[in-house]
Amino acid sequence: MEVNLVEEGFKFMVLGMSIVFLFLILLIVAMNIMSKIVHRYFPEPQAAQTPSSPVQEGGDKLKKVAAIAAAIHHNKSK
Amino acid sequence: MKTLMIKLLLALSLFGAVSATASEAHTVAAHSVPAVQEKAYESHSVGHMLVNFAKSTGVYAILNPDPNELSSVGKPMNDFHKGWGRVIMILIAFLLFYLAIAKGFEPLLLLPIGFGGLLANIPVANIAGAHGFLGVIYQMGLANEFFPIVIFMGVGAMTDFGPLLSNPKTALLGGAAQFGIFGTLVGAVALTQYTDMVDFTLKQASAISIIGGADGPTSIYIATKLAPELLGAIAVASYSYMALVPIIQPPIMKALTNDKERKIKMTTLRHVSRMEKLIFPVMVLVLAILVLPDSTPLIGAFAFGNFLKESGVVERLSDTLQNALINITTIFLGLGVGSKLAADQFLVGDTLAILALGLIAFSVGTAAGVLMAKLMNLFPGHKINPLIGSAGVSAVPMAARVSNKVGMEYDRSNMLLMHAMGPNVAGVIGSAVAAGVMISIFA
C-alpha cells in the first residue's frame, strides 16, 4: 500500500506540536499553582531573613565607617 | 588368550568412541566459529614471510581491498569503501580534530567522536566490528540507548530551573522552537516524495529532524532507536550545529526583529524558593507520566539528576553525576558514535542530505522561537524581548549566551542571560517531549 509521506509528515507535525504545547501549557499552569501553594503554606525562612539581613548589613556598614573614620583620625593625628 | 582379546576389543571400541565424540566436538566448533580453526604452523622462507607481512600492512589493504571483507554490521562493502573511502574518513577525522582543538567546536564530544571515527576506519584491525573495542562500546551502551540517558541525568544535575520558575510563560518559547523538528520532518519526507535525491523512510526522517531540537543526547537516543544506520551522520551534524549556534543564530534573530524589539528590557526575575525548585523535577515527571509515558526515559533521567541536585542532601551523588559520571559516559558515547563513522556508513549520499536538513531544522527552530516571542507580545502582560526566543532550542547554555550577546550589541545595559535561560531549559523539556511523541508514533 502506498502511503503519502508528506501527508504523514504533516500529521506528525500537528500531533507533535500540539502535544509539546499541551505539555508545556500544563507545565506553566502547574508551575503557577505550585508556586502559589509554596508561597502560601511554606513561606520559607527567607521572609524572616530578608528583614534581618539589611540590619546586619547596616551594622557592618557602621563598623566600616567607624573603622575608616578611626584610620583617618589616626593618620591625621600623626 | 580369549579374555585378552576381549579386553583389547573393549579398549579399542572405547578409544574409538572417545575419538569419535572428540572429532564431533571439533567439527561443531569448526562450524560455529570457522575463524578459530587453527592452521598448523608451516615453515616458510624469510622471503615468503616478508611477502606475507607486506600483504598484512595497511598500505596493501587500502590499495588491494580484501574481496571477502565484510563491514562492521556484516554486509558486503564495495572496493571504494574498503580502500580510499577509509582514507577520506581518516582525513574527516583530522578535520574534526582541527575544528575541536583550533576552533573550539564542542571539543568534549567532537574529539572522542573524531578519534572513534579514525579508529573505526583502520583496515584489517576491524576495531568497530563485533569483537573490536569500539564495537563492544557500541553494543554496551549505544545499541541499547543507555549512554544518552546517563548523559541526560548529568545534564539534569547541572540545570537550574530557577529562571523558568520565576517566569513560567517563557516555557512557550521552548515549545515553539520544536517546530524546527517537525518542520524539517515534513521537509525530509517531501524531498523523498518529490525528488530522487534521497530516499528516507518516515523513521529515518524523524531521526534526522530531531537534530532541530539542538539536543545532542536526545538526537543520539532517537537515532539509535529509529535509524541506527544514520547515527554517525546525525550525531556529527547535531554536535557540529550546536557548536555553530553563535554563527547560525544571530543573523536569523536580527532578520526577524526590529531595533525597538531588540531593546526591550525585561522585568527582573523574582526570587525562587528552594521548595519550588525541589518540587519542580517531580512535577515535570508526574506530568510526563500522565500525558506521555513514552517520554519518561528521557524526562525521568533528567528529573532524577535535577532532583538529586535540588535536594541538597546528596552533594556527593549530584557531584558525581555532574562530573565523573558524565565525563566517563561522554568518552564512551563519543567513541561509540565514532564507530559509526566507518566509510561504508558515512560516505553515502544520505549524509550530505542529513547535514543540510539538520541545518534547516536548526534555523527553523531558531526562527520559530523568535516569532513566538513576538506573538506573545501581542497579548497583554510583561513584554518579552524576542531575542530570548532563539534560546528555545535546547543547546544549553550556548543559545542563552547568544541571546545575551546579541542583546548587548544593541543595549549595553540589557542583560538577557538569565531571562534566556528560562526558554533554554524549557527547550530541553520540549525536545524530550517531541522525542517521546516520535517514540509513541512508532511504538
Side-chain angles (χ1 to χ4, degrees), chain B residues 157-305:
Chain B
M158 287 195 263
T159 302
D160 179 10
F161 282 104
L164 180 63
L165 281 161
S166 73
N167 195 358
K169 70 176 179 182
T170 55
L172 288 178
L173 302 173
Q178 309 312 318
F179 187 73
I181 296 180
F182 295 102
T184 309
L185 173 58
V186 173
V189 290
L191 271 185
T192 305
Q193 182 110 338
Y194 300 121
T195 70
D196 294 330
M197 285 189 288
V198 287
D199 187 22
F200 291 127
T201 63
L202 269 174
K203 277 189 177 184
Q204 287 174 328
S206 305
I208 295 164
S209 60
I210 207 91
I211 298 173
D215 192 322
T218 310
S219 301
I220 293 175
Y221 183 81
I222 290 296
T224 40
K225 229 180 168 66
L226 299 182
E229 66 280 5
L230 301 179
L231 176 64
I234 289 175
V236 168
S238 185
Y239 281 105
S240 310
Y241 293 140
M242 276 168 73
L244 288 172
V245 160
I247 298 166
I248 299 172
Q249 285 197 325
I252 301 169
M253 292 155 72
K254 287 175 188 170
L256 291 174
T257 50
N258 61 38
D259 207 47
K260 203 175 134 218
E261 287 168 327
R262 286 184 288 239
K263 286 182 177 162
I264 293 178
K265 289 218 173 173
M266 296 182 64
T267 42
T268 4
L269 295 170
R270 71 167 174 85
H271 175 79
V272 176
S273 75
R274 202 184 136 210
M275 181 69 98
E276 284 174 87
K277 286 187 180 178
L278 184 61
I279 295 174
F280 184 79
V282 181
M283 197 178 79
V284 174
L285 184 55
V286 169
L287 264 182
I289 294 168
L290 295 177
V291 178
L292 190 64
D294 278 312
S295 68
T296 47
L298 287 168
I299 291 184
F302 192 72
F304 169 66

Side-chain angles (χ1 to χ4, degrees), chain B residues 44 46 57 101 115 128 134 136 198 216 243 300 348 392 402 411:
Chain B
H44 292 297
V46 174
T57 56
I101 297 169
F115 216 98
L134 286 187
V136 171
V198 287
V348 288
V402 169
D411 182 354

Side-chain angles (χ1 to χ4, degrees), chain B residues 41 90 119:
Chain B
Y41 181 77
I90 288 175
L119 294 174

Side-chain angles (χ1 to χ4, degrees), chain B residues 357-372:
Chain B
L357 285 167
L359 183 62
I360 294 169
F362 216 88
S363 314
V364 172
T366 304
V370 174
L371 292 176
M372 184 70 192

Side-chain angles (χ1 to χ4, degrees), chain A residues 40-74:
Chain A
R40 177 86 176 70
Y41 296 102
F42 306 95
E44 275 240 335
Q46 252 137 25
Q49 267 176 16
T50 331
S52 72
S53 51
V55 175
Q56 275 178 358
E57 269 176 33
D60 281 346
K61 265 185 194 159
L62 275 181
K63 275 182 196 164
K64 267 184 202 163
V65 170
I68 292 165
I72 292 169
H73 183 73
H74 183 73

